């Protein structure tokens, strides 16, 4: 997606591919850890989902974050009887599942 921590960039700069951008963030965080700016590197799975005693309510919900909206889409899909695993439940995906391929 286009929702990055640093979303502003020079107009002539290309948007990096997901893998390269992810690696840039990791490299930046590792460098910050070396400089004692960042204490610990982890991920949402290890923090909130690997521990069976925790559930999705343990995840912090912050305004503008990607995760809460995606979690709500997955819950809605499950409640509607969908069997889709992972990924986004965007309008585009729903149209594909319903047999429509035109965009709005």
């Amino acid at each position: 997606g286009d929702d990055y921590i640093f979303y502003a960039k020079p107009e002539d700069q290309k948007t990096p591919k997901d893998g390269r951008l992810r690696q840039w963030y990791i490299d930046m965080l590792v460098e910050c850890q070396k400089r004692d700016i960042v204490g610990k590197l982890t991920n949402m799975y290890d923090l909130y989902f690997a521990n069976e005693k925790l559930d999705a309510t343990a995840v912090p919900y912050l305004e503008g974050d990607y995760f809460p909206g995606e979690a709500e889409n997955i819950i809605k899909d499950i409640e509607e009887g969908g069997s889709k695993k992972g990924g986004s439940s965007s309008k585009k995906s729903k149209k594909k599942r319903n047999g429509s391929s035109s965009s709005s």
Side-chain angles (χ1 to χ4, degrees):
D2 293 329
D3 296 334
Y4 307 123
I5 295 172
F6 302 120
Y7 56 88
K9 62 177 180 57
E11 208 171 292
D12 62 334
Q13 184 182 43
K14 294 180 181 178
T15 301
K17 297 203 183 292
D18 289 346
R20 182 178 175 134
L21 182 64
R22 178 176 164 77
Q23 189 59 53
W24 181 85
Y25 278 119
I26 290 169
D27 293 344
M28 180 183 63
L29 290 168
V30 167
E31 180 64 28
C32 290
Q33 193 175 33
K34 289 177 188 174
R35 296 179 184 196
D36 289 328
I37 298 167
V38 171
K40 179 182 177 184
L41 299 180
T42 188
N43 59 57
M44 285 182 67
Y45 179 82
D46 291 342
L47 279 176
Y48 302 108
F49 301 111
N51 182 346
E52 292 181 10
K53 294 178 184 175
L54 299 177
D55 61 19
T57 61
V59 178
Y61 287 78
L62 305 171
E63 185 66 36
D65 278 354
Y66 172 80
F67 177 77
E70 186 62 16
E72 289 173 13
N73 289 336
I74 292 169
I75 291 167
K76 186 176 180 181
D77 192 47
I78 291 169
E79 287 174 344
E80 291 175 353
S83 61
K84 194 174 114 182
K85 290 186 179 182
S88 176
S89 296
S90 67
K91 289 180 184 178
K92 207 179 239 185
S93 298
K94 287 179 183 175
K95 285 182 180 179
K96 256 187 177 174
R97 284 185 284 182
N98 293 333
S100 171
S101 61
S102 65
S103 60
S104 38

